[in-house]
Amino acid sequence: MSQTTDLYCVMGNPVAHSRSPAIHARFAELTGEPITYERRLVPMDGFSQGVRDFAAQGGRGCNVTVPFKTEVPGLATECSERVQLAGAANTLTFRTDGSIYADNTDGLGLVADITRNAGVPLAGRDVLLVGAGGAAAGVLGPLLLAGARHITVANRTLAKAQALVQSHSALALLQKAELTALEPRAVTANFDVIINATASSLAGAGVPVPATVLRPGALAYDMMYGPAAQGFLDWARQHGAVPRDGLGMLVEQAAEAFLLWRGVRPPSAQVLREMQQSTTA
Ligand code: ATR
């Protein structure tokens, strides 16, 4: 007798490059959870229709990637505090009563990869977050909750960094953390952890901050992975930092989504090791 499977997907435009289907398929295999996970290419102006169609076809939940993450809060019935803070979501759950719950697991994934997989504690650390777009907004709250002592948000457009700092000021106060907004060239301090959340590697531009931001042995993390992260990782290595790309964040944000949907935590560290081995093989 064949077992019925629950349907999930990742929606984006483009979406062909997404590694989420492979990650969730491996999670399903390792946990025995009966799920099917697809890619769905959604027209640029058709995100909410795409979500409605997928739910009507029996979908149980979906991940959301570029460029739709900021559209999610407008269509969800309920948004987690993380989504309210970030203004963006990457994980939808379709409940049996027809309501839609939105969460954002990107920041949890980043924190898990830095602290668990890379073994770098964030508590009490000085962190530089480069960028103030959707990617940076998604991780600032979880970085504060992980106990960073001082987070500097550096962005080409200063007003966006200031807005991000402003929207997170209450959480920073609660966490007894300091938050600063600066233009990249105005950053004179150095840091334990530097996180690149700009699209600058994708655009082929140089790293937007001076190498003096790197303390010796600092962790230099690019939220991208593959060729898009290479420029930043090379720069970090040349200046004595420990480079790390965003593959682990990708696997860990998927693990948090899987846990939300299935109530089972998949062996994410094992899946990350397998993916790292297959990319270097
Ligand atoms: P994402 O969802 O990936 O964060 P986004 O919201 O468009 O995409 O944000 C892109 C981020 O990368 C922004 O912080 C952007 O800086 P601005 O706010 O000044 O536009 C940053 N960025 C993109 N290209 C850049 C470049 N060449 N140099 C420096 N920062 C860049």
Side-chain angles (χ1 to χ4, degrees):
M1 204 174 67
S2 69
Q3 193 179 24
T4 60
T5 67
D6 292 332
L7 184 61
Y8 298 87
C9 76
V10 54
M11 287 189 195
N13 188 336
V15 78
H17 66 282
S18 174
R19 299 179 81 169
S20 292
I23 295 170
H24 281 281
R26 188 69 180 129
F27 286 168
E29 201 170 33
L30 291 168
T31 59
E33 286 293 305
I35 74 156
T36 304
Y37 187 108
E38 303 172 343
R39 277 186 191 88
R40 290 230 163 175
L41 178 67
V42 177
M44 287 307 222
D45 59 353
F47 177 63
S48 58
Q49 186 62 46
V51 170
R52 280 196 297 275
D53 289 349
F54 187 61
Q57 288 157 16
R60 300 286 300 272
C62 70
N63 285 131
V64 181
T65 186
V66 283
F68 302 121
K69 289 182 184 186
T70 52
E71 285 190 42
V72 175
L75 64 80
T77 322
E78 191 187 337
C79 292
S80 71
E81 278 182 36
R82 284 189 286 266
V83 172
Q84 292 170 38
L85 205 53
N90 73 335
T91 305
L92 293 179
T93 305
F94 305 138
R95 294 169 169 152
T96 46
D97 64 1
S99 63
I100 299 177
Y101 177 70
D103 205 346
N104 192 327
T105 65
D106 284 334
L108 299 178
L110 174 70
V111 167
D113 191 45
I114 291 176
T115 57
R116 289 209 300 264
N117 300 333
V120 174
L122 283 164
R125 297 301 185 96
D126 296 330
V127 176
L128 176 64
L129 181 61
V130 186
V139 301
L140 184 53
L143 288 169
L144 284 166
L145 287 167
R149 179 179 68 171
H150 189 164
I151 303 179
T152 300
V153 181
N155 195 49
R156 185 175 59 175
T157 309
L158 179 60
K160 280 168 70 180
Q162 287 168 330
L164 204 53
V165 163
Q166 179 59 37
S167 63
H168 286 72
S169 59
L171 180 60
L173 200 65
L174 209 64
Q175 292 296 113
K176 299 185 172 58
E178 221 176 308
L179 263 185
T180 308
L182 288 174
E183 276 180 43
R185 62 168 183 266
V187 182
T188 51
N190 57 20
F191 300 85
D192 305 300
V193 177
I194 292 89
I195 300 164
N196 185 19
T198 73
S200 61
S201 359
L202 261 190
V207 176
V209 287
T212 49
V213 300
L214 299 164
R215 281 183 191 158
L219 177 71
Y221 197 104
D222 197 317
M223 286 168 57
M224 309 294 292
Y225 58 88
Q230 205 53 54
F232 179 83
L233 301 182
D234 290 344
W235 169 84
R237 199 175 288 113
Q238 281 158 17
H239 294 96
V242 178
R244 188 170 180 88
D245 74 9
L247 188 62
M249 174 180 173
L250 180 76
V251 173
E252 295 296 348
Q253 64 75 29
E256 295 292 340
F258 193 93
L259 176 64
L260 259 171
W261 291 331
R262 310 303 301 179
V264 176
R265 183 172 282 286
S268 48
Q270 176 188 340
V271 174
L272 174 59
R273 271 195 306 277
E274 290 171 2
M275 291 183 75
Q276 285 167 333
Q277 279 156 12
S278 72
T279 46
T280 53

